[in-house]
Amino acid sequence: YSLFVVPLVKAVQEINDSLMSNVQSLKLENQTLKTQLSTLTIQYSHLNTKMEKMEEILDNEHKNNENNE
């Protein structure tokens, strides 16, 4: 019985340790990705705001040009 159970328990412990290590790595990677996503979301928002301002300026210039013709 002990010839079978002891190695089996040890193998399960090793698998558990490996899984826990993988879980920790994935949690760390997940946090890094969340941070990157947050940064990119902010950058996108800023760029979108700038683009809207530029479009407004171009629209106004176009209207002014039409009125001057």
Side-chain angles (χ1 to χ4, degrees):
Y1 174 80
S2 65
L3 292 176
F4 177 74
V5 172
V6 172
L8 183 60
V9 169
K10 184 174 170 104
V12 170
Q13 287 173 338
E14 288 176 4
I15 290 170
N16 187 50
D17 290 346
S18 177
L19 287 173
M20 294 305 289
S21 176
N22 287 342
V23 166
Q24 285 303 107
S25 293
L26 289 171
K27 283 182 178 180
L28 199 70
E29 182 180 4
N30 189 42
Q31 188 58 47
T32 300
L33 291 171
K34 283 180 178 182
T35 301
Q36 289 175 345
L37 176 60
S38 177
T39 300
L40 289 171
T41 300
I42 291 168
Q43 289 175 347
Y44 169 79
S45 177
H46 289 273
L47 287 172
N48 196 42
T49 301
K50 286 181 177 183
M51 184 183 70
E52 288 172 353
K53 287 179 182 179
M54 290 172 63
E55 286 175 339
E56 185 178 338
I57 290 169
L58 288 173
D59 285 344
N60 287 336
E61 285 182 5
H62 181 70
K63 287 177 187 175
N64 285 337
N65 287 339
E66 284 181 345
N67 288 336
N68 289 333
E69 289 179 0

